[in-house]
Amino acid sequence: MKKSTSFMALMGAAALVLSACADDADTDATDEATTPEVTDTEDAEDTESPEETDSEEPEADAGRDYASIDASDYTACLVSDAGGWDDKSFNESAFNGLQQAVDLMGVNSSTAESSSDTDFGPNVQAMVAEGCDIVIGVGFLLEEATSAGAQANPDISFALVDSGFNTPSDNARPLLFNTAEAAFLAGYVAGGMTETGVVATFGGLPIPSVQIFMDGFYDGVMAYNEANGADVQVLGWDKEAQTGSFSNSFDDQAQGQQLANGFINQGADIIMPVAGPVGLGAAAAAQSAGDVWIIGVDSDWYESASEFSSIILTSVLKAIDASVLDAIADVAEESFSSEPYIGTLENGGVDIAPFHDLESEVPADLIAEVEDLREQIISGELVVETPNAP
């Protein structure tokens, strides 16, 4: 892969000239509504869990002794977005946070898995009926249902992954992530590692929690170009216009494969899908191509989608599990508040994953440049700007 040249100061990197190729997807994918599935558990052994991966205890609050918190009198509940608990992405990460709360604090748990957006309201109501002490909606699309639940049930705590509440209330906490910071680093890596000079990204739906990844990735590639006199193109996203390619689904993997093949045919050799399980379709296309790498999102795809480990360059991580664990712990300690959690590089809420098997492929000078950029972002010297910031 291409080695980067010596690092140059990135003055004004967050205000880069914006020019990208947008590849609009025209295919609409819809999900058929199914009866919501509710799983009630009293302990860890009864919980239906996705395929287990080797995961470390989250570091949302490294000094917090979760094992000393007795949550056995509390019930914590999750409502998924479409894609299910084993989506290798944000649903699964939230589920892992719930499972850690069961294992570490003894909390009782219940879950409701959504097959489509028509399930969101009934599933939130089902969790309220279960007697949950906290109900956590997983995903931007659950805002309306979770907000309605919080308004109607002021004695129950609510949290929402990837979205604020349109109607804030004292019992409702947003769990947000400034993933543009980490995606910027991933984009810079992509700029330095492409052989063809073409990289790509696409989203599941045009919503802020998706577009923020694409903004950061785009700016990272442009920063690489500016620092190294390169001309790497980004397919699938025009940051200035906020338009690009979307699968219109988070669970139709065929759409991901189709979009990825389109990018590959245009020369892209690194692709970052921001579309939950749809991204696995993109990974399958990349694996078939034989010379294309994937950048995962939300979790470390090297571990969570190990069947594609050989082509995972890195992943843009969100500590969703840690934010869920902390929200549950706060309920058990009666310290829950509506103050938003915002994950950043500084607090460890977002990051990029190791390069794993591909570490020997990444030049040392490129790694050094990325680490320098990380420190600039943490210190505030470099601000990654995005209209989709939490």
Side-chain angles (χ1 to χ4, degrees), residues 19-366:
S19 59
C21 300
D23 180 19
D24 291 290
D26 296 323
T27 305
D28 290 322
T30 58
D31 300 319
E32 293 184 1
T34 59
T35 302
E37 179 179 342
V38 178
T39 302
D40 185 21
T41 68
E42 291 298 321
D43 53 46
E45 294 181 357
D46 294 332
T47 304
E48 294 183 5
S49 61
E51 181 179 347
E52 293 185 0
T53 59
D54 293 330
S55 60
E56 297 179 357
E57 184 176 328
E59 298 180 356
D61 188 343
R64 193 166 194 175
D65 183 7
Y66 296 103
S68 69
I69 301 173
D70 180 9
S72 58
D73 291 335
Y74 294 86
T75 300
C77 303
L78 286 183
V79 178
S80 83
D81 199 341
W85 298 125
D86 59 350
D87 67 350
K88 317 294 185 186
S89 190
F90 58 100
N91 284 315
E92 185 168 333
S93 184
F95 186 96
N96 289 340
L98 175 65
Q99 190 61 48
Q100 287 155 355
V102 171
D103 294 341
L104 295 171
M105 300 182 296
V107 73
N108 302 303
S109 67
S110 188
T111 65
E113 195 165 12
S114 306
S115 297
S116 71
D117 56 4
T118 59
D119 293 337
F120 297 158
N123 278 342
V124 169
Q125 293 170 19
M127 295 296 91
V128 170
E130 288 272 330
C132 301
D133 296 285
I134 179 171
V135 178
I136 303 172
V138 186
F140 178 89
L141 297 178
L142 275 91
E143 189 283 328
E144 183 177 350
T146 309
S147 182
Q151 292 294 310
N153 300 277
D155 295 332
I156 299 175
S157 297
F158 288 79
L160 180 59
V161 174
D162 279 342
S163 176
F165 289 86
N166 287 337
T167 306
S169 57
D170 292 341
N171 62 328
R173 175 187 296 179
L175 306 177
L176 306 172
F177 302 87
N178 192 357
T179 44
E181 294 183 346
F184 180 95
L185 302 181
Y188 197 93
V189 170
M193 293 300 291
T194 177
E195 288 275 7
T196 63
V198 181
V199 301
T201 184
F202 71 87
L205 290 171
I207 56 179
S209 58
V210 169
Q211 293 171 189
I212 190 172
F213 279 92
M214 301 165 80
D215 287 342
F217 181 80
Y218 180 88
D219 275 356
V221 175
M222 295 300 107
Y224 177 84
N225 285 343
E226 182 174 301
N228 295 278
D231 188 26
V232 178
Q233 298 180 59
V234 179
L235 303 179
W237 188 237
D238 181 334
K239 183 189 173 188
E240 184 174 27
Q242 290 287 292
T243 60
S245 297
F246 295 91
S247 60
N248 299 315
S249 167
F250 285 116
D251 53 11
D252 186 351
Q253 294 188 26
Q255 285 295 309
Q257 194 162 10
Q258 179 179 329
L259 283 167
N261 280 329
F263 292 138
I264 292 168
N265 290 337
Q266 295 176 72
D269 60 355
I270 299 175
I271 302 172
M272 185 183 76
V274 192
V278 171
L280 300 177
Q287 194 171 64
S288 295
D291 55 359
V292 178
W293 286 339
I294 289 289
I295 294 176
V297 297
D298 294 330
S299 61
D300 185 347
W301 281 24
Y302 180 87
E303 296 179 349
S304 64
S306 58
E307 66 270 32
F308 301 114
S309 61
S310 64
I311 62 166
I312 302 302
L313 177 57
T314 185
S315 298
V316 180
L317 307 176
K318 293 164 61 174
I320 294 173
D321 53 354
S323 68
V324 167
L325 176 61
D326 263 358
I328 296 170
D330 285 348
V331 169
E333 292 193 316
E334 299 183 356
S335 60
F336 185 87
S337 75
S338 60
E339 181 179 357
Y341 168 82
I342 301 178
T344 64
L345 282 177
E346 183 176 13
N347 65 20
V350 301
D351 208 339
I352 58 172
F355 301 118
H356 296 295
D357 294 348
L358 298 178
E359 185 171 4
S360 63
E361 302 266 1
V362 184
D365 55 352
L366 179 58

